[in-house]
Amino acid sequence: MKIALIIERMDPLRGGRETYTGEVAAELARRGHEVCVVCQDAQWEAPGVEVVRLGRSGLTRCGRMRRFLRAAGGVLASGEFDATHAMLAMPGVDVYHPHGGTVASSAVAHVRRRRGLVRALYAGVGWLNFGRMQRARLERRIVREGRAVCLCVSELVARQFERDYRRRDNVRVIFNGVAEMEPDASRRIAWRREVRSAVGVGEDETLFVAVATNFELKGVAQTLRAFARWLGATHSRARLAIVGRESVGPYRRLADDLGVTDRVHFEPPTRQIRHWYAAADAMILLTWYDPCSLVVLEAVRWRLPPLTTAYNGAADALAGGAGIVISSPDDTSAAVAAMEELANPLSRQKRAEACGEVEGRLALARHVDELLRLYEEVAAKKKTEGSAVERSSSTVQVRPDESC
């Protein structure tokens, strides 16, 4: 099949959406499909994948988005693709894949993590977020036109479409998947020793790891507070490593205020995240919102028990005991109790065994199998409705009211 994947910026270090796109593109190409990634710019490549860089131009983000959608539409119209799969709101594609969930639900989550007057302020001035308004108009058009299959990576996102648009028809859940993670045992042991030695963590210490690209959204402050309270109550020998793309100054100051500076290590984003999984004993992601966190699924495939929240669509994978799910990042008592359990080697071992029971269902190969069945469906449907060129050229357009 000839498949187009559309995304703004293709750099896996930016986050889960980019990581997902890269892994899916590479797997599709490995299986012999003709894959084209259409983007503004890219810091990524893979064997057998064509990357079309359209550039970034425009004074505002809305303007850049408008130009990108138009240019990408031109690529799709001339490419005669069997299936077009967009990771952003782009009318006219075959598959719309909102990695952040619906725009309305994402906005609710943005307000949820605020408190008091700040929360009221964010709720009141949300209409001033012109980029969000543009995405919302584009998404409403996609749903209204009904051509695209709305792809959801968890039941959490499917419920959003039902709540926000009263739509389940043409909404497809294909639960997220991640690439094979585990190396041979000797390499894993070597990585564990290497990382723990580099940051001064002894083998008798528990190492929690938190991986995030948006520290505020992913509850890093709440993680630090819970970690500090747990240390204060138990005097356990433990460390917390926070890995991600963020300005860490405010979080270093918070760690200092909490008296845990010497127990917390900040690590910049890395392409060697598996080394940190090997070094860690448990994963923590106290997120305020995540449609289906890849890092939690990666942790499960690594048999690294995760702690997350009910706001994470990936929590469905933990129902059999592979990890711990608490109600909210603000439920500090529950987070502390979970840390106490995960610091216990016997408890961790039981949860690691539960991870092993579900890891196969989280495989990227299974996810791509389901994607290909979806692509075949939309390709067959297009053949009955007319050529891909005619359909793309008539629908991949950004209207004036969809600009900022």
Side-chain angles (χ1 to χ4, degrees):
M1 297 185 74
K2 188 175 182 181
I3 302 161
L5 305 177
I6 306 96
I7 188 169
E8 290 171 78
R9 303 176 69 181
M10 189 54 221
D11 180 0
L13 286 180
R14 292 183 61 82
R17 181 171 65 158
E18 293 79 9
T19 297
Y20 169 91
T21 304
E23 290 183 347
V24 166
E27 177 64 13
L28 288 169
R30 190 189 67 78
R31 297 187 185 195
H33 298 283
E34 189 176 347
V35 183
C36 176
V37 173
V38 182
C39 57
Q40 292 176 326
D41 54 50
Q43 303 295 323
W44 174 89
E45 59 184 18
V49 178
E50 178 187 6
V51 180
V52 177
R53 297 170 173 84
L54 298 175
R56 303 178 72 228
S57 61
L59 296 178
T60 66
R61 180 169 183 177
C62 288
R64 290 190 292 273
M65 174 61 72
R66 182 171 62 250
R67 293 189 181 194
F68 172 62
L69 291 177
R70 287 175 177 166
V75 173
L76 301 190
S78 63
E80 297 187 347
F81 292 96
D82 296 304
T84 56
H85 177 171
M87 313 301 164
L88 67 162
M90 182 175 181
V93 296
D94 301 312
V95 179
Y96 166 48
H97 188 163
H99 283 259
T102 63
V103 176
S105 293
S106 178
V108 169
H110 184 72
V111 173
R112 179 194 298 138
R113 65 181 187 266
R114 314 292 176 177
R115 290 292 177 267
L117 292 176
V118 175
R119 183 173 188 166
L121 178 64
Y122 270 83
V125 302
W127 60 273
L128 290 174
N129 187 324
F130 298 120
R132 183 187 299 157
M133 291 170 61
Q134 181 189 43
R135 293 193 301 275
R137 285 192 289 265
L138 291 166
E139 183 175 271
R140 285 195 296 269
R141 178 180 162 191
I142 291 168
V143 174
R144 183 176 65 251
E145 291 178 345
R147 294 188 183 97
V149 174
C150 297
L151 176 60
C152 307
V153 293
S154 67
E155 287 292 339
L156 183 149
V157 180
R159 291 193 295 271
Q160 292 173 0
F161 274 99
E162 188 169 23
R163 180 179 63 247
D164 298 340
Y165 297 108
R166 297 179 181 176
R167 175 175 173 179
R168 284 297 297 233
D169 184 47
N170 222 25
V171 172
R172 181 77 60 89
V173 177
I174 299 181
F175 197 78
N176 242 347
V178 291
E180 185 70 33
M181 294 294 296
E182 191 167 358
D184 60 80
S186 61
R187 186 177 300 178
R188 181 168 180 163
I189 291 170
W191 288 348
R192 181 178 178 87
R193 289 174 176 168
E194 175 186 331
V195 172
R196 292 175 79 99
S197 175
V199 297
V201 179
E203 276 303 321
D204 61 337
E205 293 182 276
T206 301
L207 177 60
F208 297 112
V209 64
V211 182
T213 56
N214 180 331
F215 283 7
E216 184 178 12
L217 179 65
K218 300 307 171 74
V220 170
Q222 287 75 22
T223 300
L224 284 167
R225 293 189 181 100
F227 181 68
R229 182 185 294 186
W230 174 67
L231 284 181
T234 64
H235 305 287
S236 298
R237 289 179 55 77
R239 298 284 292 276
L240 170 65
I242 300 171
V243 183
R245 177 174 164 267
E246 186 71 80
S247 175
V248 301
Y251 298 93
R252 287 189 189 279
R253 289 192 289 273
L254 176 59
D256 188 52
D257 291 343
L258 294 168
V260 294
T261 300
D262 62 336
R263 299 280 90 195
V264 178
H265 173 82
F266 291 93
E267 182 74 12
T270 174
R271 298 188 189 277
Q272 306 299 332
I273 192 61
R274 292 188 299 171
H275 295 204
W276 283 93
Y277 292 155
D281 297 300
M283 154 78 70
I284 298 179
L285 188 69
L286 298 185
T287 184
W288 286 103
Y289 176 64
D290 204 316
C292 192
S293 167
L294 290 178
V295 297
V296 166
L297 302 188
E298 288 173 349
V300 173
R301 293 213 71 188
W302 199 266
R303 302 194 182 189
L304 183 68
L307 162 62
T308 191
T309 71
Y311 296 133
N312 187 349
D316 290 348
L318 309 182
I324 300 175
V325 181
I326 65 174
S327 63
S328 165
D330 272 345
D331 191 348
T332 306
S333 296
V336 168
M339 290 179 184
E340 177 66 10
E341 178 181 337
L342 293 173
N344 183 308
L346 292 178
S347 297
R348 283 203 308 272
Q349 181 58 35
K350 289 181 181 179
R351 293 197 179 274
E353 291 170 358
C355 288
E357 294 174 3
V358 300
E359 63 175 337
R361 300 200 294 271
L362 308 181
L364 179 68
R366 184 272 314 160
H367 182 84
V368 172
D369 287 342
E370 294 186 45
L371 273 183
L372 283 169
R373 287 195 286 272
L374 174 59
Y375 293 162
E376 289 166 358
E377 288 177 23
V378 300
K381 183 179 179 181
K382 284 199 294 189
K383 285 182 179 179
T384 65
E385 294 179 348
S387 74
V389 174
E390 290 172 352
R391 181 169 178 267
S392 295
S393 62
S394 65
T395 60
V396 183
Q397 299 290 334
V398 182
R399 298 169 179 168
D401 65 342
E402 291 163 346
S403 304
C404 293

